[in-house]
Amino acid sequence: MAADERERLESGLTRRWLDLREHLDERSRRLWLAAEARSLGYGGIAFVAAVTQVTTEAIADGMKELSGEKPLADGVRRPGGGRKKAEDNDPALPVALDALVEPVTRGDPMSPLRWTSKSLVKLAGELSAGGHRVSAAVVRRLLGEAGYSLQANAKTIEGAQSPDRDPQFQHIHDLVVAALAAGRPVISVDTKKKELVGPYKNGGREWRPEGEPERVRVHDFIDKQLGKAVPYGVYDVGANAGWVSVGTDHDTAAFAVNTIRSWWDRVGRVSYPGAADLLITADCGGSNGNRVRLWKRELAAFAAETGLTVRLAHLPPGTSKWNRIEHKLFSFISMNWRGRPLTSHEVIVNTISATTTISGLTVTAELDTAPYPKGIKVSDREMRDLETTRITRHAFRPDWNYTIHPATTSKITVEPA
């Protein structure tokens, strides 16, 4: 049943049920619901039961009565008749259930289910052990009536925040707006999640012939021959264009800067002829972190090669999800390859390159098979030389905002915020 058709049927049945249920006795309700279920065909009983919250057994009995398999009941039960609800016989039951489900806020912090999965069966078992004999079905009903539902974790707690977090966002905004208005290049950079290469399950679904899903490995053990793919991206803010280098070695600062170098040599130099500076926004962590010495040394080499003055503005710690490249480039790449096994580096590069959006995003991708060894150290002396001759720290949050000059300058002054 299509979603829109199901919604239409649910709406109609709900409206009729609310209009009629108070005007029908128990037998009439049972027969009417049975007639509704029979008109729907296969699955009708479950559908009607879900909408009206009447048991499938009662609706099935009504269908038997309609078909003559079971004689019509002679009498009609008086209102309030029949088996009492579990909570009517045991008024303490809802409180006991609430204490198990939310032990920290409403119940005993030593609840037996505090550290276990709160399945219906376990809840019913603990309640029965405590003298409240109930079934899993009753627990489900009570939870629904109490306003509980199945929910996943929600990422909302961000931890301690720097008092300069919002001012830094404003600072980055002002830098980007000014650079774009002047026609200067602005890029957002980051490493996308590393991906296993091979026939592994990839999240999401895509259209395929009925009953012919893509076959993938059961376990995600890395294939030593194929290894992993390390996508490092450059998002050109002004051009709404992406560049991704798919590495096969380690995610290091040298790899990150070489991606920026490749973008500039192949795209940036042509798109921004005569540009004297480049503004880069990046996270505070990873291969392009604000404390990574190799990142600064490699950028200094890049600046010397190109003659560009490289200005850096790092997003505050813990705010990487607001990095422009995440929602302007990486999210669309993930959507483009959802449900598709990344069986080779060629597949990854081609899939990234084929990523587009209705807003005009274009992406170029290339494979980078060069080695990028980890553990390269930048000495204290070399770092001091860079800091005194090539790096200018800005007045506002100099640890997040700084400029790397293309050549040694005789005097470095602190740039204004």
Side-chain angles (χ1 to χ4, degrees):
M1 185 186 300
D4 54 347
E5 176 66 11
R6 181 181 181 88
E7 183 178 353
R8 184 185 66 80
L9 291 174
E10 284 183 359
S11 176
L13 179 57
T14 300
R15 185 169 57 253
R16 293 191 296 274
W17 171 242
L18 294 177
D19 289 342
L20 294 173
R21 65 179 179 179
E22 301 301 327
H23 304 287
L24 301 174
D25 57 36
E26 180 189 14
R27 179 173 58 189
S28 300
R29 284 198 298 269
R30 184 172 65 249
L31 294 174
W32 173 68
L33 293 176
E36 290 279 354
R38 187 161 67 175
S39 69
L40 294 172
Y42 179 77
I45 292 179
F47 180 84
V48 172
V51 173
T52 63
Q53 298 300 302
V54 174
T55 65
T56 55
E57 290 81 2
I59 299 174
D61 284 342
M63 292 188 73
K64 291 178 180 178
E65 290 172 333
L66 287 177
S67 63
E69 297 180 34
K70 183 178 180 179
L72 287 172
D74 293 332
V76 177
R77 189 163 53 193
R78 294 192 304 272
R83 181 184 297 176
K84 299 292 184 182
K85 290 184 176 181
E87 60 271 32
D88 292 336
N89 293 324
D90 184 0
L93 175 59
V95 177
L97 176 59
D98 198 44
L100 283 177
V101 177
E102 282 292 342
V104 177
T105 58
R106 298 189 181 91
D108 180 5
M110 299 304 292
S111 163
L113 289 184
R114 186 177 184 187
W115 309 113
T116 65
S117 171
K118 298 168 186 172
S119 69
L120 296 175
V121 173
K122 286 186 178 180
L123 288 169
E126 288 297 330
L127 288 170
S128 296
H132 309 281
R133 298 186 63 81
V134 292
S135 65
V138 171
V139 171
R140 179 192 293 274
R141 176 178 61 78
L142 290 174
L143 287 175
E145 292 175 355
Y148 288 101
S149 64
L150 291 173
Q151 298 182 44
N153 299 159
K155 291 185 178 180
T156 57
I157 303 173
E158 298 186 8
Q161 296 181 6
S162 167
D164 293 326
R165 174 174 134 152
D166 288 343
Q168 176 65 1
F169 278 123
Q170 186 62 49
H171 180 66
I172 293 175
H173 174 268
D174 294 343
L175 290 175
V176 170
V177 169
L180 293 177
R184 300 196 300 265
V186 180
I187 61 173
S188 172
V189 301
D190 199 9
T191 306
K192 195 181 185 303
K193 182 176 73 72
K194 301 174 182 65
E195 302 286 350
L196 288 175
V197 182
Y200 300 100
K201 179 178 174 60
N202 201 355
R205 297 180 293 176
E206 68 173 1
W207 291 102
R208 289 184 58 82
E210 180 74 22
E212 297 181 21
E214 190 85 16
R215 306 295 176 180
V216 296
R217 292 180 179 177
V218 174
H219 301 291
D220 291 342
F221 298 126
I222 187 170
D223 186 314
K224 293 184 179 180
Q225 289 185 329
L226 295 175
K228 290 184 177 181
V230 185
Y232 190 89
V234 174
Y235 176 68
D236 185 338
V237 178
N240 189 27
W243 176 280
V244 180
S245 287
V246 179
T248 58
D249 199 29
H250 301 295
D251 178 23
T252 67
F255 170 58
V257 175
N258 194 59
T259 300
I260 298 173
R261 180 181 291 110
S262 299
W263 166 79
W264 178 255
D265 290 342
R266 301 270 295 279
V267 178
R269 191 187 304 276
V270 177
S271 301
Y272 302 96
D277 63 87
L278 171 65
L279 175 60
I280 301 176
T281 64
D283 295 346
C284 265
S287 57
N288 49 230
N290 66 314
R291 295 184 180 181
V292 179
R293 292 183 173 187
L294 185 61
W295 165 250
K296 296 182 178 68
R297 191 185 79 176
E298 292 294 323
L299 280 177
F302 167 73
E305 295 166 10
T306 60
L308 291 170
T309 296
V310 181
R311 296 184 296 159
L312 274 299
H314 290 271
L315 278 74
T319 63
S320 61
K321 62 184 176 182
W322 282 291
N323 194 351
R324 195 180 296 258
I325 194 173
E326 294 288 346
H327 51 87
K328 291 292 188 178
L329 176 61
F330 289 164
S331 60
F332 295 110
I333 293 173
S334 296
M335 285 190 286
N336 196 42
W337 68 28
R338 68 178 183 269
R340 182 181 309 172
L342 307 176
T343 53
S344 68
H345 287 93
E346 181 183 16
V347 168
I348 294 174
V349 170
N350 290 340
T351 305
I352 293 175
S353 298
T355 302
T356 59
T357 67
I358 57 175
S359 62
L361 172 70
T362 59
V363 186
T364 303
E366 68 172 7
L367 185 64
D368 185 348
T369 58
Y372 294 98
K374 296 192 297 184
I376 296 178
K377 303 293 184 182
V378 177
S379 68
D380 292 344
R381 180 177 179 179
E382 187 176 6
M383 202 62 219
R384 281 195 303 270
D385 289 343
L386 284 174
E387 289 284 355
T388 56
T389 64
R390 300 284 300 280
I391 299 177
T392 301
R393 297 287 180 173
H394 295 197
F396 174 68
R397 288 307 301 245
D399 53 336
W400 293 344
N401 306 291
Y402 51 93
T403 297
I404 300 178
H405 300 273
T408 300
T409 59
S410 58
K411 183 180 181 181
I412 299 295
T413 58
V414 175
E415 291 192 357

